Amino acid sequence: MGIPIPRFPTEFKSPVSQEMTPHQYALSLIAQRDEIEKEIREQQAILASEKTTFSTPLVDAEGFPRADIDVYSIRLARVRIIELTNDSKDLTEKIAKAIEVVHSAQREEEASKESSSAQSDETPATNLSDLQPFVRVDGVAPGSPASEAGLLREDHILKFGTLTAASFTARSLQPLASYVSSHENVCAHIETLMEFGLMGHIISKQSRSWYEEHLKL
């Protein structure tokens, strides 16, 4: 008749919380797995102290439990290691899924920030009729980014990127100079008042030389 082995099921601490972020949830799973692996090492130490492994016979040649080792502790440690190993594998799968959720959330957050930044920086005003011209185009060089964007001489600019007439407090192009300096060689959305109405333009590369030479108050 064999020696009964008591069962000690691993009780996972539920990390689920409505206030827990995906990152915190993943960390809680990792912490649980670390605890399980720690206990596995402790159980393996029991086997090592008895100089046994999973394949070491626990009975003698006549079929009786060996008297030179602690058979009960060894059998208990073996069962526990199997249980804990299975629990660790389950947690590893949950951790992989949790980490994917973290990465997905990070990608969505970054995309949202980029979208919000692009909209706030380059999206034309929804009510252009309220905008007032604040600068006019004095010249457009053939083949230039301004020419490719469709800007024409004598166009009146209502909006340049995020700048409107409200951005200027004096008869100075300094706000425009600062804006172009910080956005040089990147796209800018420009709204102009042309002879036949309003027009939107995307200028591919802003340059300080263009606004200095061809934009006039």
mmCIF file with all atom_site columns, all heavy atoms in Angstrom, residues 63-82:
data_model
loop_
_atom_site.group_PDB
_atom_site.id
_atom_site.type_symbol
_atom_site.label_atom_id
_atom_site.label_alt_id
_atom_site.label_comp_id
_atom_site.label_asym_id
_atom_site.label_entity_id
_atom_site.label_seq_id
_atom_site.pdbx_PDB_ins_code
_atom_site.Cartn_x
_atom_site.Cartn_y
_atom_site.Cartn_z
_atom_site.occupancy
_atom_site.B_iso_or_equiv
_atom_site.pdbx_formal_charge
_atom_site.auth_seq_id
_atom_site.auth_comp_id
_atom_site.auth_asym_id
_atom_site.auth_atom_id
_atom_site.pdbx_PDB_model_num
ATOM 1   N N   . GLY A 1 63 ? 11.454 -4.521 -2.934  1.00 0.00 ? 63 GLY A N   1
ATOM 2   C CA  . GLY A 1 63 ? 10.210 -3.782 -3.093  1.00 0.00 ? 63 GLY A CA  1
ATOM 3   C C   . GLY A 1 63 ? 9.776  -2.993 -1.883  1.00 0.00 ? 63 GLY A C   1
ATOM 4   O O   . GLY A 1 63 ? 8.653  -2.454 -1.865  1.00 0.00 ? 63 GLY A O   1
ATOM 5   N N   . PHE A 1 64 ? 10.615 -2.905 -0.879  1.00 0.00 ? 64 PHE A N   1
ATOM 6   C CA  . PHE A 1 64 ? 10.280 -2.141 0.318   1.00 0.00 ? 64 PHE A CA  1
ATOM 7   C C   . PHE A 1 64 ? 10.870 -0.726 0.210   1.00 0.00 ? 64 PHE A C   1
ATOM 8   O O   . PHE A 1 64 ? 11.917 -0.518 -0.426  1.00 0.00 ? 64 PHE A O   1
ATOM 9   C CB  . PHE A 1 64 ? 10.837 -2.828 1.567   1.00 0.00 ? 64 PHE A CB  1
ATOM 10  C CG  . PHE A 1 64 ? 10.158 -4.130 1.859   1.00 0.00 ? 64 PHE A CG  1
ATOM 11  C CD1 . PHE A 1 64 ? 10.776 -5.337 1.515   1.00 0.00 ? 64 PHE A CD1 1
ATOM 12  C CD2 . PHE A 1 64 ? 8.913  -4.159 2.479   1.00 0.00 ? 64 PHE A CD2 1
ATOM 13  C CE1 . PHE A 1 64 ? 10.151 -6.542 1.785   1.00 0.00 ? 64 PHE A CE1 1
ATOM 14  C CE2 . PHE A 1 64 ? 8.287  -5.368 2.752   1.00 0.00 ? 64 PHE A CE2 1
ATOM 15  C CZ  . PHE A 1 64 ? 8.903  -6.570 2.401   1.00 0.00 ? 64 PHE A CZ  1
ATOM 16  N N   . PRO A 1 65 ? 10.183 0.257  0.848   1.00 0.00 ? 65 PRO A N   1
ATOM 17  C CA  . PRO A 1 65 ? 10.740 1.619  0.836   1.00 0.00 ? 65 PRO A CA  1
ATOM 18  C C   . PRO A 1 65 ? 12.159 1.633  1.398   1.00 0.00 ? 65 PRO A C   1
ATOM 19  O O   . PRO A 1 65 ? 12.449 0.976  2.402   1.00 0.00 ? 65 PRO A O   1
ATOM 20  C CB  . PRO A 1 65 ? 9.782  2.391  1.746   1.00 0.00 ? 65 PRO A CB  1
ATOM 21  C CG  . PRO A 1 65 ? 8.500  1.636  1.673   1.00 0.00 ? 65 PRO A CG  1
ATOM 22  C CD  . PRO A 1 65 ? 8.897  0.181  1.556   1.00 0.00 ? 65 PRO A CD  1
ATOM 23  N N   . ARG A 1 66 ? 13.013 2.342  0.741   1.00 0.00 ? 66 ARG A N   1
ATOM 24  C CA  . ARG A 1 66 ? 14.408 2.419  1.167   1.00 0.00 ? 66 ARG A CA  1
ATOM 25  C C   . ARG A 1 66 ? 14.510 3.088  2.542   1.00 0.00 ? 66 ARG A C   1
ATOM 26  O O   . ARG A 1 66 ? 13.825 4.079  2.820   1.00 0.00 ? 66 ARG A O   1
ATOM 27  C CB  . ARG A 1 66 ? 15.227 3.195  0.141   1.00 0.00 ? 66 ARG A CB  1
ATOM 28  C CG  . ARG A 1 66 ? 15.435 2.427  -1.155  1.00 0.00 ? 66 ARG A CG  1
ATOM 29  C CD  . ARG A 1 66 ? 16.128 3.280  -2.208  1.00 0.00 ? 66 ARG A CD  1
ATOM 30  N NE  . ARG A 1 66 ? 17.366 3.916  -1.702  1.00 0.00 ? 66 ARG A NE  1
ATOM 31  C CZ  . ARG A 1 66 ? 18.128 4.715  -2.432  1.00 0.00 ? 66 ARG A CZ  1
ATOM 32  N NH1 . ARG A 1 66 ? 17.775 4.994  -3.692  1.00 0.00 ? 66 ARG A NH1 1
ATOM 33  N NH2 . ARG A 1 66 ? 19.224 5.227  -1.919  1.00 0.00 ? 66 ARG A NH2 1
ATOM 34  N N   . ALA A 1 67 ? 15.379 2.533  3.362   1.00 0.00 ? 67 ALA A N   1
ATOM 35  C CA  . ALA A 1 67 ? 15.538 3.047  4.726   1.00 0.00 ? 67 ALA A CA  1
ATOM 36  C C   . ALA A 1 67 ? 16.609 4.127  4.817   1.00 0.00 ? 67 ALA A C   1
ATOM 37  O O   . ALA A 1 67 ? 16.682 4.830  5.837   1.00 0.00 ? 67 ALA A O   1
ATOM 38  C CB  . ALA A 1 67 ? 15.878 1.893  5.670   1.00 0.00 ? 67 ALA A CB  1
ATOM 39  N N   . ASP A 1 68 ? 17.391 4.268  3.737   1.00 0.00 ? 68 ASP A N   1
ATOM 40  C CA  . ASP A 1 68 ? 18.510 5.224  3.799   1.00 0.00 ? 68 ASP A CA  1
ATOM 41  C C   . ASP A 1 68 ? 18.126 6.630  3.329   1.00 0.00 ? 68 ASP A C   1
ATOM 42  O O   . ASP A 1 68 ? 18.959 7.535  3.339   1.00 0.00 ? 68 ASP A O   1
ATOM 43  C CB  . ASP A 1 68 ? 19.680 4.703  2.957   1.00 0.00 ? 68 ASP A CB  1
ATOM 44  C CG  . ASP A 1 68 ? 19.290 4.507  1.504   1.00 0.00 ? 68 ASP A CG  1
ATOM 45  O OD1 . ASP A 1 68 ? 18.133 4.105  1.239   1.00 0.00 ? 68 ASP A OD1 1
ATOM 46  O OD2 . ASP A 1 68 ? 20.130 4.772  0.624   1.00 0.00 ? 68 ASP A OD2 1
ATOM 47  N N   . ILE A 1 69 ? 16.894 6.807  2.903   1.00 0.00 ? 69 ILE A N   1
ATOM 48  C CA  . ILE A 1 69 ? 16.437 8.125  2.441   1.00 0.00 ? 69 ILE A CA  1
ATOM 49  C C   . ILE A 1 69 ? 15.048 8.403  3.002   1.00 0.00 ? 69 ILE A C   1
ATOM 50  O O   . ILE A 1 69 ? 14.333 7.479  3.421   1.00 0.00 ? 69 ILE A O   1
ATOM 51  C CB  . ILE A 1 69 ? 16.401 8.212  0.894   1.00 0.00 ? 69 ILE A CB  1
ATOM 52  C CG1 . ILE A 1 69 ? 15.515 7.094  0.313   1.00 0.00 ? 69 ILE A CG1 1
ATOM 53  C CG2 . ILE A 1 69 ? 17.802 8.178  0.295   1.00 0.00 ? 69 ILE A CG2 1
ATOM 54  C CD1 . ILE A 1 69 ? 15.365 7.168  -1.185  1.00 0.00 ? 69 ILE A CD1 1
ATOM 55  N N   . ASP A 1 70 ? 14.660 9.672  2.969   1.00 0.00 ? 70 ASP A N   1
ATOM 56  C CA  . ASP A 1 70 ? 13.334 10.066 3.444   1.00 0.00 ? 70 ASP A CA  1
ATOM 57  C C   . ASP A 1 70 ? 12.366 9.955  2.259   1.00 0.00 ? 70 ASP A C   1
ATOM 58  O O   . ASP A 1 70 ? 12.154 10.920 1.518   1.00 0.00 ? 70 ASP A O   1
ATOM 59  C CB  . ASP A 1 70 ? 13.379 11.499 3.985   1.00 0.00 ? 70 ASP A CB  1
ATOM 60  C CG  . ASP A 1 70 ? 12.069 11.923 4.639   1.00 0.00 ? 70 ASP A CG  1
ATOM 61  O OD1 . ASP A 1 70 ? 11.041 11.258 4.413   1.00 0.00 ? 70 ASP A OD1 1
ATOM 62  O OD2 . ASP A 1 70 ? 12.079 12.938 5.362   1.00 0.00 ? 70 ASP A OD2 1
ATOM 63  N N   . VAL A 1 71 ? 11.807 8.775  2.084   1.00 0.00 ? 71 VAL A N   1
ATOM 64  C CA  . VAL A 1 71 ? 10.951 8.499  0.921   1.00 0.00 ? 71 VAL A CA  1
ATOM 65  C C   . VAL A 1 71 ? 9.757  9.449  0.872   1.00 0.00 ? 71 VAL A C   1
ATOM 66  O O   . VAL A 1 71 ? 9.385  9.965  -0.189  1.00 0.00 ? 71 VAL A O   1
ATOM 67  C CB  . VAL A 1 71 ? 10.486 7.025  0.938   1.00 0.00 ? 71 VAL A CB  1
ATOM 68  C CG1 . VAL A 1 71 ? 9.488  6.777  -0.179  1.00 0.00 ? 71 VAL A CG1 1
ATOM 69  C CG2 . VAL A 1 71 ? 11.677 6.098  0.812   1.00 0.00 ? 71 VAL A CG2 1
ATOM 70  N N   . TYR A 1 72 ? 9.139  9.661  1.995   1.00 0.00 ? 72 TYR A N   1
ATOM 71  C CA  . TYR A 1 72 ? 7.939  10.510 2.036   1.00 0.00 ? 72 TYR A CA  1
ATOM 72  C C   . TYR A 1 72 ? 8.243  11.935 1.559   1.00 0.00 ? 72 TYR A C   1
ATOM 73  O O   . TYR A 1 72 ? 7.531  12.494 0.713   1.00 0.00 ? 72 TYR A O   1
ATOM 74  C CB  . TYR A 1 72 ? 7.374  10.539 3.462   1.00 0.00 ? 72 TYR A CB  1
ATOM 75  C CG  . TYR A 1 72 ? 6.137  11.402 3.598   1.00 0.00 ? 72 TYR A CG  1
ATOM 76  C CD1 . TYR A 1 72 ? 4.890  10.925 3.213   1.00 0.00 ? 72 TYR A CD1 1
ATOM 77  C CD2 . TYR A 1 72 ? 6.228  12.702 4.108   1.00 0.00 ? 72 TYR A CD2 1
ATOM 78  C CE1 . TYR A 1 72 ? 3.754  11.716 3.331   1.00 0.00 ? 72 TYR A CE1 1
ATOM 79  C CE2 . TYR A 1 72 ? 5.102  13.497 4.218   1.00 0.00 ? 72 TYR A CE2 1
ATOM 80  C CZ  . TYR A 1 72 ? 3.863  12.998 3.839   1.00 0.00 ? 72 TYR A CZ  1
ATOM 81  O OH  . TYR A 1 72 ? 2.743  13.767 3.951   1.00 0.00 ? 72 TYR A OH  1
ATOM 82  N N   . SER A 1 73 ? 9.326  12.536 2.080   1.00 0.00 ? 73 SER A N   1
ATOM 83  C CA  . SER A 1 73 ? 9.687  13.907 1.691   1.00 0.00 ? 73 SER A CA  1
ATOM 84  C C   . SER A 1 73 ? 10.044 13.987 0.213   1.00 0.00 ? 73 SER A C   1
ATOM 85  O O   . SER A 1 73 ? 9.709  14.965 -0.472  1.00 0.00 ? 73 SER A O   1
ATOM 86  C CB  . SER A 1 73 ? 10.870 14.403 2.535   1.00 0.00 ? 73 SER A CB  1
ATOM 87  O OG  . SER A 1 73 ? 10.505 14.495 3.899   1.00 0.00 ? 73 SER A OG  1
ATOM 88  N N   . ILE A 1 74 ? 10.713 12.934 -0.286  1.00 0.00 ? 74 ILE A N   1
ATOM 89  C CA  . ILE A 1 74 ? 11.115 12.929 -1.700  1.00 0.00 ? 74 ILE A CA  1
ATOM 90  C C   . ILE A 1 74 ? 9.889  12.871 -2.599  1.00 0.00 ? 74 ILE A C   1
ATOM 91  O O   . ILE A 1 74 ? 9.776  13.609 -3.581  1.00 0.00 ? 74 ILE A O   1
ATOM 92  C CB  . ILE A 1 74 ? 12.066 11.748 -1.986  1.00 0.00 ? 74 ILE A CB  1
ATOM 93  C CG1 . ILE A 1 74 ? 13.382 11.950 -1.227  1.00 0.00 ? 74 ILE A CG1 1
ATOM 94  C CG2 . ILE A 1 74 ? 12.312 11.598 -3.480  1.00 0.00 ? 74 ILE A CG2 1
ATOM 95  C CD1 . ILE A 1 74 ? 14.297 10.742 -1.245  1.00 0.00 ? 74 ILE A CD1 1
ATOM 96  N N   . ARG A 1 75 ? 8.955  11.967 -2.272  1.00 0.00 ? 75 ARG A N   1
ATOM 97  C CA  . ARG A 1 75 ? 7.741  11.849 -3.089  1.00 0.00 ? 75 ARG A CA  1
ATOM 98  C C   . ARG A 1 75 ? 6.933  13.136 -3.042  1.00 0.00 ? 75 ARG A C   1
ATOM 99  O O   . ARG A 1 75 ? 6.395  13.593 -4.062  1.00 0.00 ? 75 ARG A O   1
ATOM 100 C CB  . ARG A 1 75 ? 6.894  10.675 -2.595  1.00 0.00 ? 75 ARG A CB  1
ATOM 101 C CG  . ARG A 1 75 ? 7.528  9.298  -2.846  1.00 0.00 ? 75 ARG A CG  1
ATOM 102 C CD  . ARG A 1 75 ? 6.559  8.189  -2.467  1.00 0.00 ? 75 ARG A CD  1
ATOM 103 N NE  . ARG A 1 75 ? 5.367  8.210  -3.287  1.00 0.00 ? 75 ARG A NE  1
ATOM 104 C CZ  . ARG A 1 75 ? 4.275  7.473  -3.047  1.00 0.00 ? 75 ARG A CZ  1
ATOM 105 N NH1 . ARG A 1 75 ? 4.250  6.664  -1.999  1.00 0.00 ? 75 ARG A NH1 1
ATOM 106 N NH2 . ARG A 1 75 ? 3.244  7.539  -3.839  1.00 0.00 ? 75 ARG A NH2 1
ATOM 107 N N   . LEU A 1 76 ? 6.854  13.736 -1.886  1.00 0.00 ? 76 LEU A N   1
ATOM 108 C CA  . LEU A 1 76 ? 6.126  15.000 -1.728  1.00 0.00 ? 76 LEU A CA  1
ATOM 109 C C   . LEU A 1 76 ? 6.767  16.107 -2.567  1.00 0.00 ? 76 LEU A C   1
ATOM 110 O O   . LEU A 1 76 ? 6.079  16.878 -3.246  1.00 0.00 ? 76 LEU A O   1
ATOM 111 C CB  . LEU A 1 76 ? 6.102  15.402 -0.254  1.00 0.00 ? 76 LEU A CB  1
ATOM 112 C CG  . LEU A 1 76 ? 5.170  16.559 0.125   1.00 0.00 ? 76 LEU A CG  1
ATOM 113 C CD1 . LEU A 1 76 ? 3.724  16.212 -0.159  1.00 0.00 ? 76 LEU A CD1 1
ATOM 114 C CD2 . LEU A 1 76 ? 5.364  16.917 1.584   1.00 0.00 ? 76 LEU A CD2 1
ATOM 115 N N   . ALA A 1 77 ? 8.113  16.163 -2.532  1.00 0.00 ? 77 ALA A N   1
ATOM 116 C CA  . ALA A 1 77 ? 8.825  17.183 -3.300  1.00 0.00 ? 77 ALA A CA  1
ATOM 117 C C   . ALA A 1 77 ? 8.636  16.977 -4.796  1.00 0.00 ? 77 ALA A C   1
ATOM 118 O O   . ALA A 1 77 ? 8.440  17.935 -5.545  1.00 0.00 ? 77 ALA A O   1
ATOM 119 C CB  . ALA A 1 77 ? 10.309 17.162 -2.950  1.00 0.00 ? 77 ALA A CB  1
ATOM 120 N N   . ARG A 1 78 ? 8.663  15.713 -5.247  1.00 0.00 ? 78 ARG A N   1
ATOM 121 C CA  . ARG A 1 78 ? 8.476  15.429 -6.664  1.00 0.00 ? 78 ARG A CA  1
ATOM 122 C C   . ARG A 1 78 ? 7.104  15.883 -7.145  1.00 0.00 ? 78 ARG A C   1
ATOM 123 O O   . ARG A 1 78 ? 6.963  16.525 -8.203  1.00 0.00 ? 78 ARG A O   1
ATOM 124 C CB  . ARG A 1 78 ? 8.651  13.937 -6.926  1.00 0.00 ? 78 ARG A CB  1
ATOM 125 C CG  . ARG A 1 78 ? 10.083 13.436 -6.846  1.00 0.00 ? 78 ARG A CG  1
ATOM 126 C CD  . ARG A 1 78 ? 10.117 11.928 -7.067  1.00 0.00 ? 78 ARG A CD  1
ATOM 127 N NE  . ARG A 1 78 ? 11.484 11.407 -7.108  1.00 0.00 ? 78 ARG A NE  1
ATOM 128 C CZ  . ARG A 1 78 ? 11.777 10.105 -7.265  1.00 0.00 ? 78 ARG A CZ  1
ATOM 129 N NH1 . ARG A 1 78 ? 10.789 9.213  -7.365  1.00 0.00 ? 78 ARG A NH1 1
ATOM 130 N NH2 . ARG A 1 78 ? 13.046 9.721  -7.307  1.00 0.00 ? 78 ARG A NH2 1
ATOM 131 N N   . VAL A 1 79 ? 6.074  15.565 -6.392  1.00 0.00 ? 79 VAL A N   1
ATOM 132 C CA  . VAL A 1 79 ? 4.707  15.948 -6.772  1.00 0.00 ? 79 VAL A CA  1
ATOM 133 C C   . VAL A 1 79 ? 4.568  17.470 -6.797  1.00 0.00 ? 79 VAL A C   1
ATOM 134 O O   . VAL A 1 79 ? 3.973  18.044 -7.706  1.00 0.00 ? 79 VAL A O   1
ATOM 135 C CB  . VAL A 1 79 ? 3.683  15.328 -5.801  1.00 0.00 ? 79 VAL A CB  1
ATOM 136 C CG1 . VAL A 1 79 ? 2.292  15.916 -6.048  1.00 0.00 ? 79 VAL A CG1 1
ATOM 137 C CG2 . VAL A 1 79 ? 3.651  13.818 -5.953  1.00 0.00 ? 79 VAL A CG2 1
ATOM 138 N N   . ARG A 1 80 ? 5.142  18.090 -5.798  1.00 0.00 ? 80 ARG A N   1
ATOM 139 C CA  . ARG A 1 80 ? 5.032  19.550 -5.710  1.00 0.00 ? 80 ARG A CA  1
ATOM 140 C C   . ARG A 1 80 ? 5.755  20.230 -6.854  1.00 0.00 ? 80 ARG A C   1
ATOM 141 O O   . ARG A 1 80 ? 5.276  21.227 -7.409  1.00 0.00 ? 80 ARG A O   1
ATOM 142 C CB  . ARG A 1 80 ? 5.621  20.021 -4.378  1.00 0.00 ? 80 ARG A CB  1
ATOM 143 C CG  . ARG A 1 80 ? 5.332  21.487 -4.061  1.00 0.00 ? 80 ARG A CG  1
ATOM 144 C CD  . ARG A 1 80 ? 3.864  21.746 -3.922  1.00 0.00 ? 80 ARG A CD  1
ATOM 145 N NE  . ARG A 1 80 ? 3.594  23.161 -3.636  1.00 0.00 ? 80 ARG A NE  1
ATOM 146 C CZ  . ARG A 1 80 ? 2.564  23.815 -4.115  1.00 0.00 ? 80 ARG A CZ  1
ATOM 147 N NH1 . ARG A 1 80 ? 1.691  23.204 -4.912  1.00 0.00 ? 80 ARG A NH1 1
ATOM 148 N NH2 . ARG A 1 80 ? 2.368  25.072 -3.812  1.00 0.00 ? 80 ARG A NH2 1
ATOM 149 N N   . ILE A 1 81 ? 6.906  19.711 -7.242  1.00 0.00 ? 81 ILE A N   1
ATOM 150 C CA  . ILE A 1 81 ? 7.644  20.294 -8.362  1.00 0.00 ? 81 ILE A CA  1
ATOM 151 C C   . ILE A 1 81 ? 6.828  20.205 -9.649  1.00 0.00 ? 81 ILE A C   1
ATOM 152 O O   . ILE A 1 81 ? 6.781  21.153 -10.445 1.00 0.00 ? 81 ILE A O   1
ATOM 153 C CB  . ILE A 1 81 ? 9.012  19.598 -8.532  1.00 0.00 ? 81 ILE A CB  1
ATOM 154 C CG1 . ILE A 1 81 ? 9.943  19.982 -7.369  1.00 0.00 ? 81 ILE A CG1 1
ATOM 155 C CG2 . ILE A 1 81 ? 9.656  19.967 -9.866  1.00 0.00 ? 81 ILE A CG2 1
ATOM 156 C CD1 . ILE A 1 81 ? 11.250 19.203 -7.337  1.00 0.00 ? 81 ILE A CD1 1
ATOM 157 N N   . ILE A 1 82 ? 6.169  19.063 -9.855  1.00 0.00 ? 82 ILE A N   1
ATOM 158 C CA  . ILE A 1 82 ? 5.334  18.902 -11.051 1.00 0.00 ? 82 ILE A CA  1
ATOM 159 C C   . ILE A 1 82 ? 4.195  19.915 -11.050 1.00 0.00 ? 82 ILE A C   1
ATOM 160 O O   . ILE A 1 82 ? 3.909  20.567 -12.067 1.00 0.00 ? 82 ILE A O   1
ATOM 161 C CB  . ILE A 1 82 ? 4.787  17.460 -11.131 1.00 0.00 ? 82 ILE A CB  1
ATOM 162 C CG1 . ILE A 1 82 ? 5.934  16.485 -11.383 1.00 0.00 ? 82 ILE A CG1 1
ATOM 163 C CG2 . ILE A 1 82 ? 3.734  17.344 -12.231 1.00 0.00 ? 82 ILE A CG2 1
ATOM 164 C CD1 . ILE A 1 82 ? 5.519  15.027 -11.285 1.00 0.00 ? 82 ILE A CD1 1
#
